[in-house]
Amino acid sequence: MSAIPLTDTSKLCVHTITTKPWSVEEAIDKYAEAGVGGITVWRQWLEGRKISEVGDQLRACDLEIVSLCRGGFFPAATSQGLEDAIEDNRLAIREAAELGAPMIVLVCGAVPGQALDESRKQIADGIAAALPLAEDYNIRLAIEPLHPMYADDRSAINTMASANEVCDRLDHPLVGIAADVYHIWWDPDLAEQIRITGEKNRLFAYHVCDWMTPTTDLLNDRGLMGEGCIPLEEIRAMVEKAGFTGFNEVEVFSDRWWARDQDEFLTEIKKAYLNYT
Ligand code: ZN
């Protein structure tokens, strides 16, 4: 099984957090100029802006808006906390609609000390509560399983199988999965779970980066594709075999790369995309 060769950057999407030092306006100009095909906008990048105007700027330069990142963080220890989380997700849905983003990535959340099963139930209930508004705007909600090292406070959904369970429970065409190699590359069930996800028409997004050895920071030491040990081509082949034809989204949190000249970094992103993704 081999992946389709990447010969151009039309299916390359970059997350605004990847080039963290750039504002959203700068990122849009630079990505478009570099021939990047799509963008995933992080919500912090929209603070203090008229969101519809950012959407207009994106459409004017032909950058496809892949998703808004991120919603989620549903679990809470109090009923007020649960309600606040649902409200924040409703706000994210309205922001996505204003931006023109068809999808929101969900980092589902967890509460330290609370049983993971309880958090998973709260996650399913929270998504269910936000779904009517997502239906109004036709916004897809993509559950992103996170590596188990984040099970304490970032996500109780740690495998594709666990994400598929929540999707099964909700059984809704707007609820699917964002598969991020950083979080799932180690999973012995990966091929089978990606196959099932595709079969159920819920493989909504594909995120790429690499895993550094040694990893010096659990959040901000991701590698650029080719720098680490993730079998990227093999996983992309699985994703393509499952019927996925969307963007390959480069999502790299890296203090090391953020300290570099971002124009040079974008050049390296394109090289890594074409050669190692
Ligand atoms: Zn991701």
Side-chain angles (χ1 to χ4, degrees), residues 179-199:
D180 183 324
V181 296
Y182 190 72
H183 300 297
I184 58 175
W185 68 278
W186 54 272
D187 186 347
D189 279 336
L190 190 58
E192 177 62 4
Q193 284 296 325
I194 287 177
R195 186 192 67 73
I196 291 168
T197 307
E199 194 176 84

Side-chain angles (χ1 to χ4, degrees), residues 144 180 207 251:
E144 179 170 278
D180 183 324
H207 298 175
E251 185 189 20

